[in-house]
Amino acid sequence: MSDAKVAPLGRIRNIGIIAHIDAGKTTTSERILYYSGKEHRMGEVHDGTAAMDFMQDEQERGITISSACTTFSWLDHQVNLIDTPGHVDFTAEVERSLRVLDGAVCVFCAVAGVEAQSETVWRQADHYHVPRIAFINKMDRAGADFDHVIGEMRQLLGANPLPMQIPVGCEDAFRGVVNLLEREFVAFEGDQGENVVSHPIPADIRDEAELLRQEIIEKAADASEELTEKFLDNGTLSLEETLAGLRALSLSRAIVPVFAGSSLRNKGVQPLLDAVVRYLPSPKDLPPIVGHDPKNPEKLIECRATRKEKLVSLAFKITDDAHGALAFVRVYSGELAEGMRVVVAGGNRKERAARLWRMHANHRERVERAGPGEIVGVSGFKFAATGDTICDESRLVELEPPKFPATVISVAVEPKSNDDRDKLMEVIARLEREDPTFTHRLDRETGQLVLSGMGELHLDVLTTRVSRDYKVGINTGSPRVSYREGVAESAVGSGHFDQFIANKGNYAAVTVRVEPAADRLEPSVALEIDEKSYTPAQLSQIAESVRGGFLSGPLGGYPVIHTRATVTGVRTRESEFTELACTVAAEAALRDAMDKAGAILYEPMMSLEVTVPDEFMGGVIHDLNGRSAEISEIGQRGQSRLIKARVPLAQMFGYATVVRGLSAGRANYSLEPCAYAPAPKNKMKDILGYDV
């Protein structure tokens, strides 16, 4: 049992490392662990020794797949850190991490700048109102351009970056950074950059540094009327006053303090850690989190960050390893203790927190209790899932869960033997509990088990885990696109059900009008009937029956989008209005209306960015044209060309191998879901297997 002391609330920092893939997140995390004393050797991503990339798939593929938590100390502060994936297929890991984090370090590559996934994680952080600092990494790389990245942050992210440092030298000549507020040039000496040594600012950049320092002080003076008056009276602010102003501006997300370095070359990480303490919030700095009463969603409840209140916490991640199921929980209010009986709000399911753990990647350190601001692993939960609020039995509060994107790609699997068949569904249920963007369904026509996820890599990792980690033999088919269905115009349809079952009559006749709804993705249901003629339970059943019909469209059984359904008529006979009759009649009416309205097929479109050297650009563009890509921009990114396009997902299977061959392995690309678009008529037969 650990007897480690918990820092006071004002000295806790819950932070995440977020960025595009290959920007250097995990390398930065490894340096942070080394310099803070948490690890006694530096792990490296490229040789599979990074502490935070502990999964076998992560070590073999050289990428982060699952977010990993750890806790360390810096400047007498307790820092809870989550290293997140940068690949878009695992964006759910970023989403659920940002839901519980108070601040974030956004890492940018000094050469590539603001890349596609950089924009995605930035938007996710905006959604959860997370203050950020930025670290422009890889200043030692050819083509590194600190000022260009600052400009892209303003232009592409709408951010207000404020450089707190300027790099000294660039590319091979990168030597360190100037800390502008302290008026010092900082070099990182020793075998592993562990010695932070201050020198006078080089004469050739001294004037530039003074100008930038003055801009920082002027910005800090904007934080409050008091600081503004002091600045106007004295023409400057003290260091303490400047830091206080900058902290206030950072916490309100009015500025993004920016730092520079090269994590791989062990330069710039220690000042970045200082900045985490200086400019990112503690739980004490944030307003009380607000939830609602599960029985009355209109009733809002404030949960203050104090141990004196009843427990309110959020389970944001579930894992399953050799030690069993583990729930990662952020405590917002009250205290969670070993052996405590708790409730999953909403479902009102009771749980017991058997053991609490402070996590360091895949290593566990047992603790007795956790209070506000702490992130711990909890073993013993049987029902809790990602996004569930864990409460004291006497105070039910439901917090906003993280939101996850819909899956866009599927693959059919089948067990190799009867023994494998028995184990497969159990393993899938465990993986679905871990990963909310992984789902399964049974294909009604083929009887195949279909697994769905966020991309080829995502499904490859999951099917590998099924066969290797859980020892279940499976045969895997080719990836398939998750299409959607909708309607071309407005139409009215009807359906009815009239059967005598188990000595009871079941009768309902329903009329439904459907129409396109391009303004919203999710389908909606409205009622245009005499509501006084039905009980609230019956009205709810009518709406839910139509909503259930949206799960399977008439063309290929795909979910329905961009559609509005209105129930315009319901007939029944006294005592014969049953759930069965209502469901069958409503679904039949919806299908009839969609057939008459002209059901259309939607295919997922992807936002594609390719960076490729000039000499290979022609071949890459020619290939994209053959994939029905709509090229929107050809620009410059560092010393390479940047191609932006929108392309059907169905055309992108196996693209990684193709683009490597076209560019002698020198191109990089990112692919992210962006919209659904009507599938071309000439592709409908190939997709559906019959003439429409």
Side-chain angles (χ1 to χ4, degrees), residues 627-656:
R627 296 174 186 270
S628 304
E630 302 168 6
I631 296 176
S632 59
E633 181 183 338
I634 299 176
Q636 198 76 27
R637 174 168 283 169
Q639 296 179 333
S640 296
R641 300 306 294 269
L642 170 66
I643 304 168
K644 292 186 178 183
R646 200 172 88 142
V647 60
L649 172 61
Q651 301 293 326
M652 296 305 290
F653 294 141
Y655 185 66

Side-chain angles (χ1 to χ4, degrees), residues 379-392:
S379 53
F381 287 172
K382 297 179 180 179
F383 308 109
T386 296
D388 282 342
T389 305
I390 311 298
C391 302
D392 187 276

Side-chain angles (χ1 to χ4, degrees), residues 158-181:
N160 187 15
L162 184 64
M164 305 303 298
Q165 298 174 334
I166 53 174
V168 178
C170 198
E171 301 181 344
D172 290 342
F174 178 61
R175 295 186 288 145
V177 295
V178 169
N179 286 335
L180 293 169
L181 284 181

Side-chain angles (χ1 to χ4, degrees), residues 566-583:
T566 304
V567 179
T568 58
V570 178
R571 296 196 318 275
T572 187
R573 292 191 286 261
E574 187 176 355
S575 77
E576 293 187 6
F577 184 92
T578 62
E579 180 178 342
L580 172 64
C582 183
T583 298

